[in-house]
């Protein structure tokens, strides 16, 4: 029946499907907030501290998780609290029990591949696992990784150890081929022989 605007804001990020609603990060007046929408009803779940950068919203039960200034926080909407869970700077993450798998924002690794235009390069963070109870962390890749998705016991990501060039001319950019990791065994292997621009895992 056509498209209806559900939200207008300076910026919108991280659409998350909840049990009966959609949640997202919404920036207005220079400040971020977690918002919710169900059908035509829209509400503000919780405003976030002004001046802080918010990204990567996720939800587990009644609580939310997100990156505030690149650090993982848990959000308790009823109490209006956002508490830091880890000091490690990260660009994205997925939660598995008491552990977080994340792309580090520290010391990105350079990768490159040849193209007709010349060598294309990019610096991308490595994949880590951190125990949120103890704070201990382990590097899972020597090269860069991006675009984490979790399905059951399988973690998918783009692996820049197997980098290639997407696009041509001014649109050329470095990308990583799609890989999968078995979280039980730690085994990493290609998930697709072809390249991709994006993927949906379920």
């Amino acid at each position: 029946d056509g498209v209806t605007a559900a939200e207008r804001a300076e910026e919108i990020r991280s659409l998350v499907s909840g049990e009966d609603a959609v949640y997202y990060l919404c920036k207005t007046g220079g400040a971020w907030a977690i918002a919710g929408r169900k059908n035509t009803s829209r509400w503000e779940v919780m405003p976030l501290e002004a001046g802080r950068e918010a990204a990567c919203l996720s939800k587990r039960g009644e609580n939310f998780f997100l990156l505030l200034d690149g650090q993982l926080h848990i959000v308790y909407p009823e109490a209006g609290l956002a508490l830091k869970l880890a000091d490690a700077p990260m660009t994205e993450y997925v939660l598995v029990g008491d552990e977080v798998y994340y792309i580090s924002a520290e010391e990105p690794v350079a990768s490159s591949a040849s193209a007709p235009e010349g060598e294309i390069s990019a610096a991308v963070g490595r994949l880590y696992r951190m125990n949120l109870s103890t704070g201990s962390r382990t590097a899972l890749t020597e090269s860069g990784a991006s675009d984490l998705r979790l399905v059951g016991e399988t973690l998918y990501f783009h692996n820049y150890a197997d980098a290639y060039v997407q696009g041509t001319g001014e649109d050329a950019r470095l990308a990583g081929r799609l890989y999968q990791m078995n979280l039980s065994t730690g085994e990493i292997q290609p998930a697709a022989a072809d390249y991709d621009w994006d993927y949906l895992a379920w």
Side-chain angles (χ1 to χ4, degrees):
D1 295 328
V3 177
T4 302
E7 180 82 69
R8 288 185 175 90
E10 294 169 28
E11 194 169 348
I12 295 171
R13 294 178 177 170
S14 301
L15 288 172
V16 175
S17 177
E19 293 77 12
D20 59 354
V22 170
Y23 301 92
Y24 49 93
L25 294 170
C26 179
K27 187 177 186 181
T28 53
W32 288 97
I34 301 172
R37 175 170 285 276
K38 180 179 181 181
N39 299 325
T40 58
S41 300
R42 190 266 193 202
W43 65 96
E44 188 171 273
V45 176
M46 187 178 128
L48 301 172
E49 185 180 347
R52 305 197 71 178
E53 191 64 20
C56 299
L57 181 70
S58 63
K59 190 175 188 293
R60 180 189 285 179
E62 297 301 313
N63 300 323
F64 293 87
F65 297 82
L66 79 167
L67 298 181
L68 280 178
D69 297 330
Q71 295 178 314
L72 182 63
H73 286 64
I74 183 171
V75 175
Y76 300 101
E78 293 295 326
L81 292 175
L83 303 179
K84 185 166 63 174
L85 291 177
D87 288 323
M90 54 188 77
T91 59
E92 55 181 296
Y93 67 91
V94 295
L95 294 163
V96 183
D98 290 332
E99 295 183 318
V100 57
Y101 291 78
Y102 69 94
I103 305 300
S104 174
E106 298 177 293
E107 300 178 355
V109 180
S111 300
S112 62
S114 298
E117 300 83 0
E119 189 147 283
I120 306 293
S121 61
V124 186
R126 297 163 66 190
L127 175 61
Y128 278 80
R129 180 182 64 236
M130 174 187 289
N131 186 297
L132 293 174
S133 299
T134 65
S136 63
R137 62 177 187 164
T138 305
L140 302 176
T141 62
E142 292 296 324
S143 58
S146 67
D147 305 314
L148 301 181
R149 309 278 195 277
L150 180 68
V151 182
E153 289 291 308
T154 303
L155 181 69
Y156 293 89
F157 62 96
H158 284 132
N159 188 351
Y160 284 76
D162 192 358
Y164 63 95
V165 176
Q166 283 184 341
T168 58
E170 294 182 356
D171 296 326
R173 71 181 186 103
L174 196 71
R177 208 169 299 274
L178 185 62
Y179 273 61
Q180 63 187 34
M181 172 186 285
N182 184 309
L183 298 186
S184 298
T185 65
E187 181 184 6
I188 297 175
Q189 61 184 19
D194 298 328
Y195 69 80
D196 69 280
W197 291 92
D198 199 0
Y199 71 99
L200 175 66
W202 79 61

